Amino acid sequence: MNSLDLPKPPHETRVVVAMSGGVDSSVVAGLLKREGYDVVGVTLQLYDHGAATHRKGACCAGRDIHDARSVAETLGIPHYVLDYEDRFRESVIDRFAESYLSGETPIPCVECNRSVKFRDLLGMARDLGAEALATGHYVASRPAPGGGRALYRALDPARDQSYFLYATTPEQLAFLRFPLGERPKDETRALARELGLTVADKADSQDICFVPQGGYADVIAKLRPEATRPGAIVDLEGRQLGEHQGIVHYTVGQRRGLKLSVGEPLYVVRLEPETARVVVGPRAALATRRIRLTDLNWLGEGAPEALTDLPVAVRVRSTREPRPARLSWNAAEAYAEVELAAPEDGVSPGQACVIYEDDGPRARVLGGGTIRRIGALQAGAAEAA
């Protein structure tokens, strides 16, 4: 086996590298080229460059395409730019807007990986005769005990991107490789300098790529003007405390920007798109113990339908560490249910709940799903939709 766990010498193994124009994917291409692989670089043009062309912190924009092409020239590898704007708009941007309109808080990076990069681009890699598609994500992939490949948290906990890759299917994992999953970020930048890459000190992408300056509400308002329908801000009993200019400006757990003077801190508890109401309450009202998941992607052993009170760890936001929980499958209504060992604040419909084998730093990713409904913990309250 070669370094990618493929049964051929590197020079007989073609690998397509998804090159975003950043330092991580550029180093992946450079490392594989140095090891003797037949490397082909591919960059996706995902959206109209417009205001994002020269914006720091973006990816897949005009500057990044130029940088990816420059790196490919330095490495002496073929490089292709694929126009995926239409499919990105339909699969990611439109769904992003619809989700906000429904009172959810979506994660477009998950959908981009699921429906564009690891579906369409992976198919293109196969068409190019590749035996693997390599990316610059910080996540680890290793052969699974029962066959196939398993996904694990990255060596560098500060860079771990497993939360955004839970939706990768077993079939996709068999073809994907993540060479940076076992490296710390500072080593990646050192390698970029060693390889003579001009992007060695380039800033990492941070914002949603198609949202200039992080102003997602403006983007959604252009796509779905109804998202800015004014409405009432009410407390848990339905009493009006103020007004708002569209639920798109709010997310569950938000405290700032409510512009209410009631003498105590209030947080957004839930959004009601049908009535355009923003429901607020004390922080205690955010405590959540039970979470209902739909669109479950299962990467663990066995079938998800057999899950019964399985001890796991779950992550309900990308910025939080996995917390102990138990996982079960509701056969009657075909959804997964997570019961947290301790309540979490700010669990929001539309976000991902990622499931790990345990809460260790190198834990295996067992899958995840979309949070659709949560169980509240207010003084004996029933579920809050």
Side-chain angles (χ1 to χ4, degrees):
M1 291 288 182
N2 59 33
S3 63
L4 296 179
D5 293 329
L6 295 169
K8 283 184 179 182
H11 71 275
E12 295 180 9
T13 307
R14 173 166 289 183
V15 183
V16 166
V17 177
M19 300 179 66
S20 67
V23 62
D24 298 324
S25 59
S26 297
V27 166
V28 167
L31 286 175
L32 295 177
K33 173 67 175 178
R34 189 166 70 177
E35 290 181 36
Y37 288 95
D38 177 11
V39 179
V40 177
V42 173
T43 301
L44 303 182
Q45 179 177 313
L46 296 181
Y47 57 95
D48 181 8
H49 305 160
T53 303
H54 302 291
R55 180 170 58 87
K56 291 179 63 177
C59 69
C60 308
R63 178 76 250 173
D64 300 298
I65 292 173
H66 170 81
D67 288 343
R69 182 179 292 116
S70 176
V71 167
E73 290 176 357
T74 298
L75 298 175
I77 63 173
H79 177 254
Y80 301 95
V81 177
L82 305 180
D83 184 353
Y84 275 23
E85 283 193 28
D86 289 343
R87 63 190 77 189
F88 182 74
R89 183 177 60 253
E90 294 169 4
S91 298
V92 179
I93 298 178
D94 288 348
R95 290 188 183 185
F96 175 77
E98 286 295 336
S99 185
Y100 261 107
L101 199 59
S102 300
E104 298 178 338
T105 306
I107 310 174
C109 295
V110 169
E111 192 58 45
C112 181
N113 289 329
R114 173 177 19 216
S115 62
V116 178
K117 292 178 180 176
F118 294 164
R119 184 190 66 192
D120 298 337
L121 178 56
L122 191 146
M124 177 61 69
R126 291 187 189 277
D127 291 342
L128 289 172
E131 295 182 61
L133 171 63
T135 81
H137 289 101
Y138 284 84
V139 67
S141 167
R142 299 192 286 272
R149 297 186 71 80
L151 200 63
Y152 297 85
R153 296 184 68 185
L155 173 69
D156 189 339
R159 301 297 303 175
D160 175 50
Q161 293 174 293
S162 58
Y163 181 84
F164 301 101
L165 298 174
Y166 80 87
T168 307
T169 67
E171 295 75 21
Q172 292 168 343
L173 272 182
F175 195 74
L176 287 163
R177 296 295 186 272
F178 308 103
L180 301 185
E182 306 292 348
R183 298 176 185 273
K185 177 71 177 193
D186 56 355
E187 182 181 323
T188 300
R189 290 203 180 274
L191 284 167
R193 298 184 189 100
E194 182 182 318
L195 291 164
L197 305 182
T198 57
V199 296
D201 297 311
K202 184 176 179 179
D204 295 326
S205 59
Q206 297 173 342
D207 299 328
I208 297 173
C209 66
F210 57 88
V211 179
Q213 307 303 323
Y216 66 88
D218 295 334
V219 173
I220 297 169
K222 291 179 181 178
L223 295 169
R224 301 288 188 275
E226 60 270 34
T228 58
R229 177 164 63 113
I233 301 176
V234 301
D235 63 15
L236 294 172
E237 285 71 43
R239 294 187 293 264
Q240 183 167 342
L241 304 178
E243 297 181 345
H244 66 80
Q245 298 303 310
I247 62 172
V248 69
H249 297 286
Y250 301 89
T251 59
V252 171
Q254 178 178 333
R255 177 184 173 185
R256 297 182 179 180
L258 299 180
K259 299 179 181 179
L260 300 174
S261 299
V262 294
E264 63 173 328
L266 293 176
Y267 300 78
V268 176
V269 175
R270 66 178 180 272
L271 303 174
E272 298 180 349
E274 298 84 2
T275 57
R277 296 202 310 177
V278 174
V279 181
V280 299
R283 182 167 183 171
L286 292 171
T288 299
R289 194 71 173 264
R290 285 174 292 130
I291 306 171
R292 178 180 296 190
L293 304 182
T294 60
D295 303 319
L296 181 70
N297 182 59
W298 185 244
L299 298 174
E301 308 301 327
E305 291 79 11
L307 295 171
T308 304
D309 203 32
L310 179 70
V312 296
V314 300
R315 192 185 233 168
V316 296
R317 284 187 183 270
S318 63
T319 54
R320 299 182 186 178
E321 285 297 304
R323 307 286 175 81
R326 305 191 81 84
L327 176 67
S328 298
W329 180 260
N330 185 311
E333 299 184 50
Y335 66 84
E337 184 170 89
V338 170
E339 184 171 354
L340 296 160
E344 289 263 13
D345 288 349
V347 179
S348 178
Q351 291 278 294
C353 176
V354 180
I355 305 162
Y356 298 87
E357 195 167 43
D358 54 56
D359 59 1
R362 302 304 309 277
R364 180 179 177 180
V365 181
L366 298 181
T370 304
I371 299 169
R372 294 300 185 194
R373 195 175 183 187
I374 59 179
L377 279 184
Q378 306 117 335
E383 285 187 334

CSV table of all heavy atoms in Angstrom, one decimal, residues 164-216:
chain,number,residue,atom,x,y,z
A,164,PHE,N,-18.0,19.7,10.1
A,164,PHE,CA,-18.5,20.1,8.8
A,164,PHE,C,-18.5,18.9,7.8
A,164,PHE,O,-19.0,19.1,6.6
A,164,PHE,CB,-17.7,21.2,8.2
A,164,PHE,CG,-17.7,22.5,9.1
A,164,PHE,CD1,-16.7,22.8,9.9
A,164,PHE,CD2,-18.8,23.3,9.1
A,164,PHE,CE1,-16.7,23.9,10.8
A,164,PHE,CE2,-18.9,24.4,9.9
A,164,PHE,CZ,-17.8,24.7,10.8
A,165,LEU,N,-18.0,17.8,8.2
A,165,LEU,CA,-17.8,16.7,7.2
A,165,LEU,C,-18.6,15.4,7.6
A,165,LEU,O,-18.5,14.4,7.0
A,165,LEU,CB,-16.4,16.3,7.1
A,165,LEU,CG,-15.5,17.4,6.5
A,165,LEU,CD1,-14.0,17.0,6.5
A,165,LEU,CD2,-15.9,17.8,5.1
A,166,TYR,N,-19.5,15.6,8.6
A,166,TYR,CA,-20.3,14.4,9.1
A,166,TYR,C,-21.1,13.8,8.0
A,166,TYR,O,-21.5,12.6,8.1
A,166,TYR,CB,-21.1,14.8,10.3
A,166,TYR,CG,-22.4,15.5,9.9
A,166,TYR,CD1,-23.6,14.7,9.6
A,166,TYR,CD2,-22.5,16.9,9.8
A,166,TYR,CE1,-24.7,15.4,9.2
A,166,TYR,CE2,-23.7,17.5,9.4
A,166,TYR,CZ,-24.8,16.7,9.1
A,166,TYR,OH,-26.0,17.4,8.7
A,167,ALA,N,-21.5,14.6,7.0
A,167,ALA,CA,-22.5,14.1,6.0
A,167,ALA,C,-21.8,13.3,4.9
A,167,ALA,O,-22.5,12.9,4.0
A,167,ALA,CB,-23.3,15.3,5.4
A,168,THR,N,-20.5,13.2,5.0
A,168,THR,CA,-19.8,12.4,4.0
A,168,THR,C,-20.2,10.9,4.1
A,168,THR,O,-20.2,10.3,5.2
A,168,THR,CB,-18.3,12.4,4.3
A,168,THR,OG1,-17.9,13.8,4.4
A,168,THR,CG2,-17.5,11.8,3.2
A,169,THR,N,-20.6,10.3,3.0
A,169,THR,CA,-21.1,8.9,3.0
A,169,THR,C,-20.0,7.9,3.0
A,169,THR,O,-18.9,8.2,2.7
A,169,THR,CB,-22.0,8.7,1.8
A,169,THR,OG1,-21.2,8.7,0.6
A,169,THR,CG2,-23.1,9.8,1.6
A,170,PRO,N,-20.3,6.7,3.4
A,170,PRO,CA,-19.3,5.6,3.4
A,170,PRO,C,-18.7,5.5,2.0
A,170,PRO,O,-17.4,5.2,1.8
A,170,PRO,CB,-20.0,4.4,3.8
A,170,PRO,CG,-21.1,4.9,4.7
A,170,PRO,CD,-21.5,6.2,4.0
A,171,GLU,N,-19.5,5.6,0.9
A,171,GLU,CA,-19.0,5.4,-0.4
A,171,GLU,C,-18.0,6.6,-0.8
A,171,GLU,O,-17.0,6.4,-1.4
A,171,GLU,CB,-20.2,5.4,-1.4
A,171,GLU,CG,-21.1,4.2,-1.3
A,171,GLU,CD,-22.0,4.3,-0.1
A,171,GLU,OE1,-22.2,5.4,0.4
A,171,GLU,OE2,-22.5,3.2,0.4
A,172,GLN,N,-18.3,7.8,-0.3
A,172,GLN,CA,-17.4,8.9,-0.6
A,172,GLN,C,-16.1,8.8,0.2
A,172,GLN,O,-15.1,9.1,-0.3
A,172,GLN,CB,-18.2,10.2,-0.2
A,172,GLN,CG,-19.3,10.6,-1.1
A,172,GLN,CD,-20.2,11.7,-0.6
A,172,GLN,OE1,-20.1,12.0,0.6
A,172,GLN,NE2,-21.0,12.3,-1.5
A,173,LEU,N,-16.3,8.3,1.4
A,173,LEU,CA,-15.1,8.2,2.3
A,173,LEU,C,-14.1,7.2,1.7
A,173,LEU,O,-12.9,7.4,1.8
A,173,LEU,CB,-15.4,7.7,3.7
A,173,LEU,CG,-15.8,8.7,4.7
A,173,LEU,CD1,-16.1,8.0,6.1
A,173,LEU,CD2,-14.7,9.7,4.9
A,174,ALA,N,-14.6,6.2,1.0
A,174,ALA,CA,-13.7,5.2,0.3
A,174,ALA,C,-12.8,5.8,-0.7
A,174,ALA,O,-11.7,5.3,-1.0
A,174,ALA,CB,-14.5,4.1,-0.3
A,175,PHE,N,-13.3,7.0,-1.3
A,175,PHE,CA,-12.5,7.6,-2.4
A,175,PHE,C,-11.8,8.8,-1.9
A,175,PHE,O,-10.8,9.3,-2.6
A,175,PHE,CB,-13.5,8.0,-3.5
A,175,PHE,CG,-12.9,8.4,-4.8
A,175,PHE,CD1,-12.4,7.4,-5.6
A,175,PHE,CD2,-12.9,9.7,-5.2
A,175,PHE,CE1,-11.8,7.7,-6.9
A,175,PHE,CE2,-12.3,10.1,-6.4
A,175,PHE,CZ,-11.8,9.1,-7.3
A,176,LEU,N,-12.1,9.4,-0.8
A,176,LEU,CA,-11.6,10.6,-0.3
A,176,LEU,C,-10.3,10.4,0.6
A,176,LEU,O,-10.2,9.4,1.2
A,176,LEU,CB,-12.6,11.4,0.6
A,176,LEU,CG,-13.7,12.1,-0.2
A,176,LEU,CD1,-14.8,12.4,0.8
A,176,LEU,CD2,-13.2,13.3,-0.9
A,177,ARG,N,-9.4,11.3,0.5
A,177,ARG,CA,-8.2,11.3,1.4
A,177,ARG,C,-8.0,12.7,1.9
A,177,ARG,O,-8.2,13.7,1.3
A,177,ARG,CB,-7.0,10.9,0.6
A,177,ARG,CG,-7.1,9.4,0.1
A,177,ARG,CD,-7.1,8.4,1.2
A,177,ARG,NE,-7.1,7.0,0.7
A,177,ARG,CZ,-8.2,6.3,0.3
A,177,ARG,NH1,-9.4,6.9,0.4
A,177,ARG,NH2,-8.0,5.1,-0.1
A,178,PHE,N,-7.5,12.7,3.2
A,178,PHE,CA,-7.3,14.0,3.9
A,178,PHE,C,-5.9,14.0,4.5
A,178,PHE,O,-5.7,13.7,5.7
A,178,PHE,CB,-8.3,14.2,5.0
A,178,PHE,CG,-9.8,14.0,4.6
A,178,PHE,CD1,-10.5,12.8,4.9
A,178,PHE,CD2,-10.4,15.0,3.9
A,178,PHE,CE1,-11.8,12.6,4.4
A,178,PHE,CE2,-11.7,14.8,3.5
A,178,PHE,CZ,-12.4,13.7,3.8
A,179,PRO,N,-4.9,14.3,3.7
A,179,PRO,CA,-3.5,14.2,4.1
A,179,PRO,C,-3.1,15.1,5.3
A,179,PRO,O,-2.1,14.9,5.9
A,179,PRO,CB,-2.7,14.6,2.9
A,179,PRO,CG,-3.6,14.3,1.8
A,179,PRO,CD,-5.0,14.6,2.3
A,180,LEU,N,-3.9,16.1,5.6
A,180,LEU,CA,-3.5,17.0,6.7
A,180,LEU,C,-4.1,16.6,8.1
A,180,LEU,O,-3.9,17.3,9.1
A,180,LEU,CB,-3.9,18.5,6.4
A,180,LEU,CG,-3.3,19.1,5.1
A,180,LEU,CD1,-3.7,20.5,5.0
A,180,LEU,CD2,-1.8,18.9,5.1
A,181,GLY,N,-4.9,15.6,8.1
A,181,GLY,CA,-5.6,15.2,9.3
A,181,GLY,C,-4.6,14.8,10.4
A,181,GLY,O,-5.0,14.8,11.6
A,182,GLU,N,-3.4,14.4,10.1
A,182,GLU,CA,-2.4,14.0,11.1
A,182,GLU,C,-1.3,15.0,11.2
A,182,GLU,O,-0.2,14.7,11.7
A,182,GLU,CB,-1.8,12.6,10.7
A,182,GLU,CG,-2.8,11.5,10.4
A,182,GLU,CD,-3.6,11.1,11.7
A,182,GLU,OE1,-3.1,11.5,12.8
A,182,GLU,OE2,-4.6,10.4,11.5
A,183,ARG,N,-1.5,16.3,10.8
A,183,ARG,CA,-0.5,17.3,10.9
A,183,ARG,C,-1.1,18.5,11.7
A,183,ARG,O,-2.3,18.9,11.5
A,183,ARG,CB,-0.1,17.8,9.5
A,183,ARG,CG,0.6,16.7,8.7
A,183,ARG,CD,1.0,17.2,7.3
A,183,ARG,NE,1.5,16.2,6.5
A,183,ARG,CZ,2.8,15.8,6.4
A,183,ARG,NH1,3.6,16.5,7.1
A,183,ARG,NH2,3.2,14.9,5.6
A,184,PRO,N,-0.3,19.2,12.4
A,184,PRO,CA,-0.7,20.5,13.0
A,184,PRO,C,-0.6,21.6,12.0
A,184,PRO,O,0.2,21.5,11.0
A,184,PRO,CB,0.3,20.7,14.2
A,184,PRO,CG,1.5,20.0,13.7
A,184,PRO,CD,1.1,18.8,12.9
A,185,LYS,N,-1.4,22.7,12.2
A,185,LYS,CA,-1.4,23.8,11.2
A,185,LYS,C,-0.1,24.4,11.0
A,185,LYS,O,0.3,24.8,9.9
A,185,LYS,CB,-2.4,24.8,11.7
A,185,LYS,CG,-2.6,26.0,10.8
A,185,LYS,CD,-3.2,25.7,9.5
A,185,LYS,CE,-3.4,26.9,8.6
A,185,LYS,NZ,-4.3,26.7,7.5
A,186,ASP,N,0.7,24.6,12.1
A,186,ASP,CA,2.0,25.3,11.9
A,186,ASP,C,2.9,24.5,11.0
A,186,ASP,O,3.8,25.1,10.3
A,186,ASP,CB,2.6,25.6,13.3
A,186,ASP,CG,2.8,24.4,14.1
A,186,ASP,OD1,2.4,23.3,13.7
A,186,ASP,OD2,3.4,24.6,15.2
A,187,GLU,N,2.8,23.2,11.1
A,187,GLU,CA,3.6,22.4,10.2
A,187,GLU,C,3.2,22.6,8.7
A,187,GLU,O,4.1,22.6,7.8
A,187,GLU,CB,3.5,20.9,10.6
A,187,GLU,CG,4.4,20.0,9.7
A,187,GLU,CD,4.2,18.5,10.1
A,187,GLU,OE1,4.1,18.3,11.4
A,187,GLU,OE2,4.2,17.6,9.2
A,188,THR,N,1.9,22.7,8.5
A,188,THR,CA,1.4,23.0,7.1
A,188,THR,C,2.0,24.2,6.5
A,188,THR,O,2.5,24.2,5.4
A,188,THR,CB,-0.1,23.1,7.1
A,188,THR,OG1,-0.7,21.8,7.6
A,188,THR,CG2,-0.6,23.3,5.7
A,189,ARG,N,2.0,25.3,7.3
A,189,ARG,CA,2.6,26.5,6.8
A,189,ARG,C,4.1,26.4,6.6
A,189,ARG,O,4.6,27.0,5.6
A,189,ARG,CB,2.3,27.7,7.7
A,189,ARG,CG,0.8,28.1,7.8
A,189,ARG,CD,0.6,29.5,8.2
A,189,ARG,NE,-0.8,29.9,8.3
A,189,ARG,CZ,-1.4,30.3,7.2
A,189,ARG,NH1,-0.8,30.5,6.0
A,189,ARG,NH2,-2.7,30.7,7.3
A,190,ALA,N,4.8,25.7,7.4
A,190,ALA,CA,6.2,25.5,7.3
A,190,ALA,C,6.5,24.7,6.0
A,190,ALA,O,7.4,25.0,5.2
A,190,ALA,CB,6.8,24.7,8.5
A,191,LEU,N,5.6,23.7,5.7
A,191,LEU,CA,5.8,22.9,4.5
A,191,LEU,C,5.5,23.8,3.2
A,191,LEU,O,6.2,23.6,2.2
A,191,LEU,CB,4.8,21.7,4.5
A,191,LEU,CG,5.2,20.6,5.4
A,191,LEU,CD1,4.0,19.6,5.6
A,191,LEU,CD2,6.4,19.8,4.7
A,192,ALA,N,4.6,24.7,3.3
A,192,ALA,CA,4.3,25.6,2.2
A,192,ALA,C,5.5,26.4,1.9
A,192,ALA,O,5.8,26.7,0.7
A,192,ALA,CB,3.1,26.5,2.5
A,193,ARG,N,6.2,26.9,2.9
A,193,ARG,CA,7.4,27.7,2.6
A,193,ARG,C,8.5,26.8,2.1
A,193,ARG,O,9.2,27.2,1.1
A,193,ARG,CB,7.9,28.3,3.9
A,193,ARG,CG,6.9,29.3,4.5
A,193,ARG,CD,7.5,30.0,5.8
A,193,ARG,NE,6.4,30.8,6.4
A,193,ARG,CZ,5.7,30.4,7.5
A,193,ARG,NH1,6.0,29.2,8.0
A,193,ARG,NH2,4.8,31.1,8.0
A,194,GLU,N,8.6,25.6,2.6
A,194,GLU,CA,9.6,24.6,2.1
A,194,GLU,C,9.4,24.3,0.6
A,194,GLU,O,10.3,24.1,-0.1
A,194,GLU,CB,9.5,23.4,3.0
A,194,GLU,CG,10.5,22.3,2.6
A,194,GLU,CD,10.4,21.1,3.5
A,194,GLU,OE1,10.2,21.2,4.7
A,194,GLU,OE2,10.4,19.9,2.9
A,195,LEU,N,8.1,24.2,0.2
A,195,LEU,CA,7.7,23.9,-1.1
A,195,LEU,C,7.8,25.1,-2.1
A,195,LEU,O,7.6,25.0,-3.3
A,195,LEU,CB,6.3,23.3,-1.2
A,195,LEU,CG,6.2,21.9,-0.6
A,195,LEU,CD1,4.7,21.6,-0.3
A,195,LEU,CD2,6.8,20.8,-1.5
A,196,GLY,N,8.1,26.3,-1.5
A,196,GLY,CA,8.2,27.5,-2.3
A,196,GLY,C,6.8,28.0,-2.8
A,196,GLY,O,6.8,28.7,-3.8
A,197,LEU,N,5.8,27.9,-2.0
A,197,LEU,CA,4.4,28.3,-2.4
A,197,LEU,C,4.2,29.7,-2.0
A,197,LEU,O,4.4,30.1,-0.8
A,197,LEU,CB,3.4,27.3,-1.8
A,197,LEU,CG,3.6,25.8,-2.2
A,197,LEU,CD1,2.4,25.0,-1.6
A,197,LEU,CD2,3.7,25.6,-3.6
A,198,THR,N,3.6,30.5,-2.9
A,198,THR,CA,3.4,31.9,-2.6
A,198,THR,C,2.3,32.1,-1.6
A,198,THR,O,2.1,33.2,-1.1
A,198,THR,CB,3.0,32.7,-3.9
A,198,THR,OG1,1.9,32.0,-4.5
A,198,THR,CG2,4.2,32.7,-4.9
A,199,VAL,N,1.5,31.1,-1.3
A,199,VAL,CA,0.3,31.2,-0.4
A,199,VAL,C,0.7,30.8,1.0
A,199,VAL,O,-0.2,30.7,1.9
A,199,VAL,CB,-0.9,30.3,-0.9
A,199,VAL,CG1,-1.4,30.9,-2.2
A,199,VAL,CG2,-0.5,28.9,-1.0
A,200,ALA,N,2.0,30.6,1.3
A,200,ALA,CA,2.4,30.2,2.6
A,200,ALA,C,1.9,31.0,3.8
A,200,ALA,O,1.6,30.5,4.8
A,200,ALA,CB,3.9,30.1,2.7
A,201,ASP,N,1.8,32.3,3.6
A,201,ASP,CA,1.3,33.2,4.6
A,201,ASP,C,-0.1,33.7,4.4
A,201,ASP,O,-0.5,34.7,5.0
A,201,ASP,CB,2.3,34.3,4.8
A,201,ASP,CG,3.7,33.8,5.3
A,201,ASP,OD1,3.7,33.0,6.2
A,201,ASP,OD2,4.7,34.2,4.7
A,202,LYS,N,-0.8,33.2,3.5
A,202,LYS,CA,-2.1,33.6,3.1
A,202,LYS,C,-3.1,33.3,4.3
A,202,LYS,O,-3.1,32.3,4.9
A,202,LYS,CB,-2.6,32.9,1.9
A,202,LYS,CG,-4.0,33.4,1.4
A,202,LYS,CD,-4.4,32.8,0.0
A,202,LYS,CE,-5.7,33.2,-0.4
A,202,LYS,NZ,-6.1,32.6,-1.7
A,203,ALA,N,-4.0,34.3,4.6
A,203,ALA,CA,-4.9,34.1,5.7
A,203,ALA,C,-5.9,33.0,5.4
A,203,ALA,O,-6.3,32.8,4.2
A,203,ALA,CB,-5.7,35.5,5.9
A,204,ASP,N,-6.4,32.4,6.4
A,204,ASP,CA,-7.4,31.3,6.2
A,204,ASP,C,-8.8,31.9,5.9
A,204,ASP,O,-9.1,33.0,6.4
A,204,ASP,CB,-7.5,30.4,7.5
A,204,ASP,CG,-6.2,29.7,7.8
A,204,ASP,OD1,-5.5,29.3,6.8
A,204,ASP,OD2,-5.9,29.5,9.0
A,205,SER,N,-9.6,31.1,5.2
A,205,SER,CA,-10.9,31.6,5.0
A,205,SER,C,-11.7,31.4,6.2
A,205,SER,O,-11.6,30.4,7.0
A,205,SER,CB,-11.6,30.7,3.8
A,205,SER,OG,-11.6,29.4,4.1
A,206,GLN,N,-12.6,32.3,6.5
A,206,GLN,CA,-13.4,32.3,7.8
A,206,GLN,C,-14.9,32.5,7.6
A,206,GLN,O,-15.7,31.9,8.2
A,206,GLN,CB,-12.8,33.4,8.7
A,206,GLN,CG,-11.4,33.1,9.1
A,206,GLN,CD,-10.8,34.3,9.9
A,206,GLN,OE1,-11.4,35.4,9.9
A,206,GLN,NE2,-9.7,34.0,10.6
A,207,ASP,N,-15.2,33.4,6.7
A,207,ASP,CA,-16.7,33.7,6.5
A,207,ASP,C,-17.3,32.7,5.6
A,207,ASP,O,-16.7,31.9,4.9
A,207,ASP,CB,-16.8,35.1,5.9
A,207,ASP,CG,-16.3,36.2,6.8
A,207,ASP,OD1,-16.3,36.0,8.1
A,207,ASP,OD2,-15.8,37.2,6.3
A,208,ILE,N,-18.7,32.8,5.5
A,208,ILE,CA,-19.4,32.1,4.5
A,208,ILE,C,-19.0,32.7,3.2
A,208,ILE,O,-19.1,33.9,2.9
A,208,ILE,CB,-20.9,32.3,4.7
A,208,ILE,CG1,-21.3,31.6,6.0
A,208,ILE,CG2,-21.7,31.6,3.6
A,208,ILE,CD1,-22.8,31.9,6.4
A,209,CYS,N,-18.5,31.8,2.2
A,209,CYS,CA,-17.8,32.3,1.1
A,209,CYS,C,-18.6,33.3,0.2
A,209,CYS,O,-18.1,34.2,-0.4
A,209,CYS,CB,-17.3,31.1,0.2
A,209,CYS,SG,-18.6,30.1,-0.5
A,210,PHE,N,-19.9,33.1,0.1
A,210,PHE,CA,-20.7,33.9,-0.8
A,210,PHE,C,-21.4,35.1,-0.1
A,210,PHE,O,-22.2,35.7,-0.7
A,210,PHE,CB,-21.8,33.0,-1.5
A,210,PHE,CG,-22.8,32.3,-0.5
A,210,PHE,CD1,-23.9,32.9,-0.1
A,210,PHE,CD2,-22.5,31.0,-0.1
A,210,PHE,CE1,-24.7,32.3,0.8
A,210,PHE,CE2,-23.3,30.4,0.8
A,210,PHE,CZ,-24.5,31.0,1.2
A,211,VAL,N,-21.0,35.3,1.1
A,211,VAL,CA,-21.6,36.4,1.9
A,211,VAL,C,-20.5,37.5,2.2
A,211,VAL,O,-19.7,37.3,3.1
A,211,VAL,CB,-22.2,35.9,3.3
A,211,VAL,CG1,-22.7,37.1,4.1
A,211,VAL,CG2,-23.2,34.9,3.0
A,212,PRO,N,-20.5,38.6,1.4
A,212,PRO,CA,-19.5,39.7,1.6
A,212,PRO,C,-19.6,40.2,3.0
A,212,PRO,O,-20.7,40.6,3.5
A,212,PRO,CB,-19.9,40.7,0.6
A,212,PRO,CG,-20.7,39.9,-0.5
A,212,PRO,CD,-21.4,38.9,0.3
A,213,GLN,N,-18.5,40.3,3.7
A,213,GLN,CA,-18.4,40.9,5.0
A,213,GLN,C,-19.3,40.3,6.1
A,213,GLN,O,-19.6,40.9,7.1
A,213,GLN,CB,-18.7,42.4,4.9
A,213,GLN,CG,-17.8,43.2,3.9
A,213,GLN,CD,-16.3,43.0,4.1
A,213,GLN,OE1,-15.9,43.0,5.3
A,213,GLN,NE2,-15.6,42.9,3.1
A,214,GLY,N,-19.7,39.0,5.9
A,214,GLY,CA,-20.5,38.3,6.9
A,214,GLY,C,-21.9,38.8,6.9
A,214,GLY,O,-22.6,38.4,7.9
A,215,GLY,N,-22.4,39.7,6.0
A,215,GLY,CA,-23.7,40.2,6.1
A,215,GLY,C,-24.7,39.3,5.4
A,215,GLY,O,-25.3,39.6,4.4
A,216,TYR,N,-25.0,38.1,6.1
A,216,TYR,CA,-25.9,37.1,5.5
A,216,TYR,C,-27.3,37.6,5.3
A,216,TYR,O,-28.0,37.2,4.4
A,216,TYR,CB,-25.8,35.8,6.3
A,216,TYR,CG,-26.4,36.0,7.7
A,216,TYR,CD1,-27.7,35.8,7.9
A,216,TYR,CD2,-25.6,36.3,8.7
A,216,TYR,CE1,-28.3,35.9,9.2
A,216,TYR,CE2,-26.1,36.4,10.0
A,216,TYR,CZ,-27.5,36.2,10.2
A,216,TYR,OH,-28.0,36.3,11.5
